[in-house]
Amino acid sequence: MTLQPPSPTQSNILTALRSFLLAVLPAGTEVVQGQENRVPEPIGDDFVIMTPFLQNRLATNIDTYADVSFTASIAGMVMTVTAVEFGALAVGQLVFGVGVSALTTITALGTGTGGVGTYTISATQTVPSRKMASGSETLLQPTRVTVQLDVHGNNGAENAQTISTLFRDDYAVQAFKASGFDVSPLYVSDPKQLPFENENHQIESRWVIDAVMQANQVLAGLPQQFADELDIAVIDVEAAYPA
């Protein structure tokens, strides 16, 4: 089983937020991620530090399934797919079929990229051409993500007010949508002034805002078996079978 990282990732979420901030703040305002070791604060007078600190589940998982039915043969660790009835094959999926070893997994693409072609599998075996199956499950968890924004500089109060105003507007919704990630702004806290002591023990102006977003994070790659086809064998009820 090969699970893919939840998508959108934290990096995707911060990228969407940063794109919005850069669009609404004055030119030259730097926006960087916090909690980085051995990195000094930005040189400019005005800058914003993003620090994610909370993720809350918003709803029960939304599960979806993708079935795959195909015709293939296996020789050694190579599976050759000659026809795909429906669905698409992918790395990490389990392969099911009569004669196929348990827990056989697609480990790499060959000439096939989801359809007809060759694939590398996890176990050496020999299986003649026949109907096989695969499939996967995808889980979506709507998540509330909170990122602390530390707004530094002489214009910190004005920049914090700009963020607070536009984050609760349709402008932010459209800006996040343009990022291409499934992330939407929800609300922000009221800006509060918390003095910051820099590396020179000097006090700097800092306004703090909590930006709250919804990220519909998808976890893909869970194998799922489907009952698409049955192989029926006749059992002689008159015969004696060992216990």
Side-chain angles (χ1 to χ4, degrees), residues 68-95 100 104-125 132-134:
V68 187
S69 179
F70 59 98
T71 301
S73 61
I74 300 176
M77 298 182 70
V78 176
M79 179 175 69
T80 301
V81 178
T82 55
V84 177
E85 186 176 351
F86 53 80
L89 294 161
V91 173
Q93 290 180 350
L94 292 178
V95 177
V100 178
T104 294
T105 305
I106 300 174
T107 59
L109 302 178
T111 60
T113 56
V116 172
T118 59
Y119 299 80
T120 302
I121 58 174
S122 58
T124 299
Q125 54 197 291
M132 297 183 188
S134 185

Side-chain angles (χ1 to χ4, degrees), residues 16-29:
L17 176 59
R18 183 174 184 270
S19 297
F20 162 76
L21 295 173
L22 290 175
V24 302
L25 295 175
T29 303

Side-chain angles (χ1 to χ4, degrees), residues 35 39 52 59-60 73 76 87 105 115 135 139 154 158 177 192 206 217 222 232 237:
Q35 295 183 327
V39 177
T60 301
S73 61
T105 305
L139 294 79
N154 296 330
E158 290 73 24
K177 183 178 180 180
K192 49 184 176 292
R206 174 183 62 161
Q217 293 184 295
L222 288 171
I232 300 175
V237 296

Side-chain angles (χ1 to χ4, degrees), residues 38 49 63 82 99 114 153 180:
R38 302 180 184 275
I49 307 295
D63 298 348
T82 55

